[in-house]
Amino acid sequence: METLSTQPETRNVSATPKPPKKRKTGIWRSILQQKYLYLMSMPFVIWLFVFNYLPVWGWTMAFQNYKPSKSFSEQKWVGFKNFVDLFQDERFYLVLRNTLAMSIMGLIAGFVIPITFAVLLNELRGKYFKRTVQTVSYLPHFVSWVVVGGIITKMLSIDGGIVNELLVSLHIINEPIQFMAQGKWFWGIVTASDVWKETGWNAIIYLAAITGIDKELYEAARVDGAGRFRQIWNITLPGIRTTISVLLIMSIGHLIGIGFEKQFQLSNSLVTDYSEVLDLYALNYGINISRFSYGTAISMFTSVVSIILLLTANGIMKKTTKESIM
């Protein structure tokens, strides 16, 4: 008869599996997994910090009576004196009027016309003709404002200018008009010049958004009997609504920071009261006469107002259309 063993069974302790090591989670795990991507982006991050964030330290000049010959510790602090002088200057409000007028006109024309152009270009069926029109339309973007200013001035000249000659030949006017010498024409000239130069380039992003719309939606609409206009209104425009919203928010953020290249190239002494914008004002009344603190105060005002406009536009768009950039 077999006898049962009463000795306890021995286990091989060495064979017991070890608990798995904890993997690194969170941000560090993401960095390790995408380390090459982060390394590639580092030069751009450094560039952004050096040229966009580090210069913010220069805003301290707006609260000083800055003298280039003195060190930072030797500068005289004057508080908000430069801002008080800015808001008491009548010229500032004239310049602010010009800036807002040209920026609002540019905002309206710079959105409606490129969107319309992109939608119409998308409706073209001829592939080669469509590519030719698109190429020709965005070529002016690569032309500098120095050249564009010369072209516009020559076209509007009373001495051989094509615009005046055409208007006279059509008997719309009896004698040539000095467009560049009358302030009432300046805002429209700047807006029209900017539209001609940038419409093709701005339309590219809308065309890219249109190509992302599902083609089956158009086929279903055609089956239901919808014409081209109905397809544009009910499919194309809603399909690029997010792109339009994002670009609109960013454009509103730059409403008063419109630069000065266009105005500088097209302006002259006869239309200064209509051509001077905030950036030109900072250049003329700040840097050119060595009032560095005053010029910094103007630029700081522009930046702060731009941030407020950006956040306000983003908040309104987020509540109304559920679209935002942050």
Side-chain angles (χ1 to χ4, degrees):
M1 180 181 295
E2 295 182 2
T3 59
L4 298 175
S5 175
T6 58
Q7 294 181 356
E9 184 179 355
T10 59
R11 294 181 180 179
N12 188 359
V13 179
S14 61
T16 304
K18 295 181 181 179
K21 295 182 179 179
K22 292 184 178 180
R23 295 183 178 180
K24 295 183 180 180
T25 59
I27 184 65
W28 297 111
R29 180 183 178 185
S30 175
I31 292 175
L32 288 176
Q33 289 179 343
Q34 306 180 27
K35 53 182 178 296
Y36 297 111
L37 183 62
Y38 281 102
L39 288 174
M40 290 174 60
S41 64
M42 281 304 297
F44 302 100
V45 173
I46 295 173
W47 178 89
L48 184 69
F49 175 78
V50 171
F51 291 99
N52 289 80
Y53 288 94
L54 195 60
V56 174
W57 172 257
W59 280 6
T60 55
M61 293 168 55
F63 305 97
Q64 301 171 342
N65 184 17
Y66 180 76
K67 302 295 182 184
S69 59
K70 296 182 180 180
S71 64
F72 180 80
S73 60
E74 296 174 338
Q75 300 295 335
K76 180 182 178 181
W77 294 87
V78 295
F80 291 94
K81 180 181 180 301
N82 292 307
F83 293 95
V84 173
D85 295 341
L86 176 65
F87 295 129
Q88 289 180 347
D89 187 3
E90 295 181 359
R91 187 74 183 177
F92 166 73
Y93 296 99
L94 179 66
V95 170
L96 185 61
R97 180 206 66 178
N98 298 336
T99 304
L100 290 175
M102 281 184 276
S103 61
I104 292 174
M105 291 173 64
L107 180 65
I108 296 173
F111 258 87
V112 175
I113 296 177
I115 292 172
T116 305
F117 179 73
V119 171
L120 294 177
L121 194 62
N122 183 66
E123 293 298 315
L124 293 177
R125 293 294 178 258
K127 182 173 64 174
Y128 296 104
F129 179 71
K130 179 179 177 179
R131 289 180 179 178
T132 303
V133 172
Q134 184 178 358
T135 302
V136 172
S137 65
Y138 69 66
L139 283 179
H141 170 78
F142 300 98
V143 181
S144 69
W145 272 108
V146 177
V147 178
V148 173
I151 294 173
I152 299 299
T153 302
K154 183 61 178 176
M155 289 177 62
L156 299 177
S157 173
I158 61 174
D159 185 18
I162 187 174
V163 175
N164 275 308
E165 288 189 354
L166 182 62
L167 293 176
V168 172
S169 64
L170 295 175
H171 303 289
I172 298 176
I173 59 176
N174 296 324
E175 57 183 13
I177 300 175
Q178 293 183 343
F179 290 103
M180 302 304 294
Q182 300 184 37
K184 64 180 180 180
W185 295 104
F186 188 81
W187 296 347
I189 292 172
V190 169
T191 303
S193 303
D194 194 37
V195 167
W196 170 76
K197 187 175 185 296
E198 302 296 341
T199 292
W201 182 259
N202 292 335
I204 292 176
I205 192 168
Y206 298 114
L207 284 170
I210 290 173
T211 57
I213 300 175
D214 191 355
K215 302 302 180 184
E216 294 182 358
L217 296 175
Y218 293 100
E219 296 176 1
R222 284 193 291 269
V223 170
D224 292 339
R228 283 195 175 186
F229 180 78
R230 283 289 184 183
Q231 294 176 36
I232 292 172
W233 187 258
N234 294 313
I235 299 176
T236 305
L237 292 180
I240 62 175
R241 186 185 66 178
T242 300
T243 303
I244 295 174
S245 300
V246 171
L247 294 179
L248 179 61
I249 293 171
M250 296 178 66
S251 296
I252 292 175
H254 293 88
L255 202 59
I256 66 171
I258 60 174
F260 65 90
E261 294 86 357
K262 303 183 286 289
Q263 294 78 11
F264 184 78
Q265 296 298 330
L266 296 173
S267 177
N268 56 69
S269 59
L270 299 175
V271 295
T272 304
D273 289 343
Y274 291 87
S275 64
E276 193 171 26
V277 292
L278 281 172
D279 288 340
L280 268 178
Y281 180 64
L283 180 65
N284 295 330
Y285 290 84
I287 298 177
N288 285 351
I289 58 177
S290 300
R291 296 178 65 188
F292 301 106
S293 296
Y294 190 71
T296 305
I298 300 170
S299 299
M300 186 175 177
F301 168 80
T302 303
S303 299
V304 172
V305 173
S306 297
I307 294 172
I308 295 173
L309 288 173
L310 177 65
L311 296 177
T312 303
N314 184 75
I316 294 174
M317 294 294 288
K318 190 173 184 179
K319 288 184 177 180
T320 56
T321 65
K322 308 301 180 183
E323 304 287 349
S324 66
I325 62 174
M326 61 184 69

